[in-house]
Amino acid sequence: MKKSLFPFFVITLLCATAAYAQRGPEWLKNAVIYHIYPSSFQDSDGDGIGDLEGIRSRLDYVKACGFNTIWLSPVFESPFEDGGYDITDYYKVDPRFGTNTQLVELIRDAHAKGIRICLDLVAGHTSDKHPWFRQSRSADTNLQYSDYYIWSDSKSSLPTKKFVKSDAPRNGNFLKNYFEVQPALNYGYAHPDPDEPWQQGYDDPGPRAVRQEIRNIMAFWMDKGVDGFRCDMAMSLVKNDDRNHTATVRLWHEMREWIDARYPECILISEWSQPGEAIPAGFHVDLIIHNGAGYDMYSPLVCNTDDKNRPTVCYFDRAGEGQIRSFVDRYTKERHATREQGYLSMPTCSHDIWRLNRNQRNTPEELKVTMTFFLLMPWIPTVYYGEEIGMRNIEDAPIKEGSFARRNRSSCRTPMQWDTTPNAGFSTADATNIFLPVDPDPARPTVAAQTDDPHSLLSYARGLLALRAATPALGTSGDWRYVSDPNHPYPMVYAREYAGEKYIVVLNPSAQRATAQFPEEGAVADIVYGSGVPARYTVRKDLASVKAEPVSATVLRMK
Ligand code: NOJ
């Protein structure tokens, strides 16, 4: 009897271990990410540009808000032709941000405060000024870095519109990944075309060397204490991949196996925006991008303008004309498919995506409703610096360092607003000499003004994060169920449950009162959090009805 049960126990144990390893380190379950654009956060040396020492001096602020993980946009050596996403040395901090030693000190201090640090891994391309690329331009194609990039074998034709006409001694043109100054690293072609012998396969020496280099870069920083990486354009590494990105999935799968074996406490976050692919590929977290650029099922929530700068209707606008159905359907499906393996995260915005305070969403009350949504979903919250105080999107901020890409990305990169000292406390440099101008509005929000104001957005966001941290049902462990009718968009009502505890979240971002009816969810124990006049929940004959006041958020604990 004992003997026959043995294999069963072993299999159960193996399955349990596999499931745990898939979801990643334990700390990730409670991670709340703060995304910092390093040039814009805090300048410590008066040169007008944010730096690592500046970030280090603000760790207590980050912690007091309730964030426990920082994702830094790239801090590596760069000519800044795409805001640092164009790297010339992955092993070196750019002098404008400080030194490698200062990065290690930042990590050390952050860890001492219980904060993890994730870096940005730009794996898809380098700067065209990178020594690897300079060498690969040589007519001699047998050098160490000759095959680090994708070169055609003739100058007279451009195989696709992504190829850039080159003036290099090498006979051929190169593939760009984003801007022309960002040549694509060579991860090979999923199915090399025999008629184009310059296309290399996944297992050819060039792509193998590039994969090894990326591992070396990650190991270099993880050995210095880094806790993970946000992987830029993660889905696009292997070229001419199939619809399911099979070869790129294989690549990340191999990276993840290596990380699990050597750095099991570290994580990989993807810029992929298709959790159904990214999570099984090996990412611990997939970022949902909602800038309207091909991810339209999600974008109607907070975007105000589509990719071509045309106004769009959004759910979280006071006009109350948005729809919620496509979000509910897609989110439900993707969460269901990935919840045992990893996490989703929908950032409030980013260095590429407009801030929440824009167009039809400006008042602290409107921003509080939106923030309730971002912070009480089961995903891992990611908040871009300054969103917690409601910084404005500055539409006419000057284009800087490649910030224009179909739209003006400087608008969401202006300096953090700390206080009423010059440059809002961001820098002691002359105002004409800082990275980007500070929001000129004399009434601009600041950390100083909001810290002790119990009605401020900052206090509200801090309270939300404290509530989430204390309430497993509202965190990543809790179930999520959309409760109201998704065809009747306002208010949005969803349930969060864990171990017999149940919460109902009612959000009405519109300027009109809104009601919803649904099968009853029990009785209200108390109102635990919210903004505006609380929604009223009543039950009659098994039917619950919720009356939500204009621009209100209500979190109910149920009996
Ligand atoms: C995505 C990054 O977020 C963006 O800022 C950058 O321009 C492109 N990838 C290219 O690296």
Side-chain angles (χ1 to χ4, degrees), residues 49-110:
I49 301 180
D51 48 42
L52 295 177
E53 281 297 282
I55 296 170
R56 194 159 75 94
S57 72
R58 295 296 186 178
L59 287 175
D60 284 336
Y61 167 75
V62 173
K63 187 178 166 80
C65 289
F67 302 109
N68 54 25
T69 307
I70 290 175
W71 150 31
L72 292 176
S73 275
V75 292
F76 311 109
E77 190 187 80
S78 168
F80 294 93
E81 292 174 289
D82 182 16
Y85 285 86
D86 49 322
I87 293 171
T88 47
D89 189 345
Y90 290 84
Y91 298 95
K92 186 175 168 220
V93 166
D94 190 274
R96 86 188 209 174
F97 296 128
T99 61
N100 284 16
T101 306
Q102 284 171 336
L103 180 51
V104 171
E105 283 163 3
L106 171 67
I107 295 164
R108 185 200 57 204
D109 282 16

Side-chain angles (χ1 to χ4, degrees), residues 231-252:
C231 304
D232 190 66
M233 298 173 68
M235 90 300 277
S236 66
L237 299 191
V238 182
K239 302 307 175 196
N240 280 14
D241 210 349
D242 59 27
R243 275 182 60 231
N244 302 323
H245 299 103
T246 309
T248 306
V249 165
R250 173 180 165 199
L251 182 156
W252 287 113

